[in-house]
Amino acid sequence: MFKSIIFAAIMLFSSYGVTANTANTQQVQVDIPQVGIQPIVFYIVNKTNGSTKVCVSSGNICNEIPGTGTVSEDMAFFELSHNNGENFNISLINFLETEYTQDNGMSCRQSSTCGSDNDCTAVLTCKKD
């Protein structure tokens, strides 16, 4: 079973990093390079029914990003959609790709698109080498 993690990706900055295991839902402080910029905190949530969801933190609430997620020891697939714009989409796809390439040793392909109305889609397909 994959661990659930917290990941902070700072919008408008290309720096990001995994911050903690969420098994005990502990919040870990993130160094923010500039006062007033709020980090985007993503979570990977393994549901009891076997599905995998991604959500974004809004205070104490984890708002699920619509779409599908399937994860096993040998592969991961996510197709997610939102209306939060291109910066959010880049942070989301970077978060997912980092989790499955660096932390789980997979090779990944990604695609992402955003329309003029900020409707975006992020797709990630990963497999063990």
Side-chain angles (χ1 to χ4, degrees), residues 59-126:
N60 292 331
I61 299 170
C62 194
N63 297 307
E64 192 174 294
I65 299 171
T68 60
T70 305
V71 176
S72 72
E73 288 185 31
D74 298 334
M75 60 79 63
F77 173 78
F78 291 91
E79 185 170 359
L80 306 169
S81 58
H82 58 84
N83 61 356
N84 297 316
E86 189 172 347
N87 287 337
F88 181 93
N89 210 41
I90 291 168
S91 296
L92 174 61
I93 203 77
N94 285 341
F95 159 71
L96 290 170
E97 188 166 22
T98 298
E99 169 61 15
Y100 292 101
T101 57
Q102 292 180 6
D103 296 343
N104 291 299
M106 296 183 184
S107 296
C108 297
R109 291 177 313 169
Q110 62 164 289
S111 66
S112 61
T113 58
C114 286
S116 60
D117 55 356
N118 284 331
D119 284 337
C120 299
T121 301
V123 178
L124 183 78
T125 304
C126 303

Side-chain angles (χ1 to χ4, degrees), residues 46-57:
N46 297 311
K47 300 277 187 160
T48 56
N49 67 2
S51 67
T52 302
K53 298 294 182 180
V54 178
C55 61
V56 62
S57 176

Side-chain angles (χ1 to χ4, degrees), residues 29-44:
Q29 184 175 2
V30 177
D31 292 331
I32 299 174
Q34 194 174 21
V35 174
I37 296 177
Q38 294 296 315
I40 300 172
V41 181
F42 295 106
Y43 298 87
I44 293 174

